[in-house]
Amino acid sequence: MIIYKSEDEIKIMKRAGELVANVLLKLESIIKPGITTEFLDRTAEEIIISRNAKPAFKGYLGRISKIPFPGTICVSVNEEVVHGIPGKRILYEGDLVSIDVGVQLDGFFGDAARSYKVGRAGNKIEKIMQTTWDALNDAIDKCVEGNRLGDISHAIESRAATNGFSVVKDFVGHGIGRNMHEDPQVLNYGPAHQGPLLKKGIVLAIEPMLNEGESDIEVLKDSWTVVTRDGKISCHFEDTVAVTSKGSTILTRL
Ligand code: MG
C-alpha cells in the first residue's frame, strides 16, 4: 500500500533529507587515499547524533541478513554494489566508493547515496559515475503527476543501456516516509507507461545501481555486502524525491 504524504509531512522529510545531504557533503570533503571506511562511518555518525537524529541503517535487519547492520553508513568500494560494511578497509587512489546515508529525524526517514572517486580515477570510473548520475536525474525528471512508476524505471534502464552498462535487478528503490522502506518498489528496469500512477504526496527513494559488466550480483559471507558476480565495478546514486502539485522536489539535495 502506497502511503501518500501531506505537505507538512514533506516539510519534515525535507529536514531529514537536508541532514543526509549535509552528511554526504562532509564525507565528500574528507575522502582521500589512505583513510579507512570506518573513519567515514564515525564522521557520519557524529554529525547525525549531533542533530538529534538517528542513523537509519544501524541495527537494521535486512530481508536477507539476520545480522543487524553494524554501521551508520554503507560504504561500497569498486566491485561492491551496495550495503558494504564500514571497517578497517583503506581507500586507495583510483577507487570508486559509494556511500549510502539514511537518517530518521522527527519520525521520518531520509535516504541518499553518492559515488565518489578516490584521488584521480580512470576514464572507466568517470564514465560509470556520470552515467549513473544522469540515470538518476532522468528518473527524477519523470517524477511528475500523471506519469507512471514504470516511466522512472525505464528512464534508468535506457540511460544505462545506451552507455553500455547493465542495471542491478535484485535490489531496488522504494517508497519512504515513517518507514525507511515502504511501497512501492522502484525497479531500475522495465517498460514505460506501466505501474501505479504517480500522484501528489508519493515519496520515493530512487537508486540506480549500474554495473560495468553483467547485472548478476552475490552477497558476501558477512551477509550484507553485495558484489558483482563478475568482479567488475558498480556505481550507485540515490535521492529521496517527493511528487508535489508543483512537480517534484528532491528532498536530499540542498
Ligand atoms: Mg534506499
Side-chain angles (χ1 to χ4, degrees):
M1 185 190 67
I2 296 172
I3 302 167
Y4 297 89
K5 280 79 187 177
S6 68
E7 283 180 26
D8 285 344
E9 288 173 325
I10 289 172
K11 277 185 198 150
I12 301 173
M13 292 192 74
K14 179 71 185 158
R15 292 209 304 275
E18 283 174 351
L19 173 54
V20 170
N22 278 309
V23 171
L24 284 164
L25 277 176
K26 175 64 183 178
L27 298 183
E28 179 180 15
S29 76
I30 61 174
I31 287 175
K32 59 177 183 186
I35 66 162
T36 62
T37 58
E38 72 186 359
F39 175 63
L40 294 171
D41 191 65
R42 211 162 48 236
T43 304
E45 182 162 318
E46 281 168 11
I47 300 169
I48 294 167
I49 305 265
S50 76
R51 306 285 177 87
N52 294 318
K54 272 193 228 164
F57 304 152
K58 197 162 205 168
Y60 189 82
L61 285 167
R63 84 186 141 94
I64 298 172
S65 181
K66 295 287 169 268
I67 300 168
F69 190 78
T72 285
I73 58 173
C74 302
V75 188
S76 308
V77 184
N78 297 336
E79 79 288 353
E80 294 172 355
V81 179
V82 286
H83 304 166
I85 297 174
K88 307 280 181 209
R89 183 168 183 167
I90 293 167
L91 297 180
Y92 290 104
E93 179 102 22
D95 280 346
L96 168 62
V97 58
S98 145
I99 298 177
D100 199 338
V101 177
V103 306
Q104 186 185 24
L105 179 67
D106 296 335
F108 285 89
F109 286 86
D111 188 5
R114 295 286 181 269
S115 287
Y116 304 108
K117 55 187 181 179
V118 181
R120 277 175 307 182
N123 290 341
K124 190 169 80 169
I125 284 177
E126 297 277 3
K127 186 179 176 194
I128 198 169
M129 282 177 63
Q130 184 65 50
T131 305
T132 311
W133 177 246
D134 290 343
L136 175 59
N137 287 308
D138 290 350
I140 292 170
D141 287 344
K142 298 293 181 188
C143 286
V144 288
E145 277 195 289
N147 277 352
R148 289 185 183 273
L149 192 65
D151 295 322
I152 294 172
S153 306
H154 185 70
I156 292 168
E157 186 177 29
S158 301
R159 175 67 73 168
T162 49
N163 287 277
F165 297 111
S166 65
V167 296
V168 172
K169 298 189 169 172
D170 297 309
F171 290 88
V172 298
H174 47 95
I176 181 168
R178 289 187 185 276
N179 304 290
M180 188 161 63
H181 295 118
E182 296 182 357
D183 287 338
Q185 291 196 340
V186 185
L187 277 56
N188 290 318
Y189 64 96
H193 316 306
Q194 292 192 16
L197 268 176
L198 299 179
K199 290 194 292 196
K200 181 177 77 168
I202 194 171
V203 184
L204 303 171
I206 301 173
E207 41 184 321
M209 296 157 225
L210 269 58
N211 289 353
E212 179 198 9
E214 301 296 324
S215 64
D216 307 301
I217 54 93
E218 55 193 31
V219 179
L220 297 185
K221 284 205 183 73
D222 66 18
S223 92
W224 278 106
T225 311
V226 178
V227 297
T228 57
R229 185 161 285 170
D230 60 16
K232 294 188 176 180
I233 58 170
S234 186
C235 186
H236 177 217
F237 281 90
E238 175 180 22
D239 273 309
T240 300
V241 182
V243 173
T244 70
S245 51
K246 301 180 210 78
S248 64
T249 308
I250 306 172
L251 303 181
T252 42
R253 293 188 197 175
L254 298 176

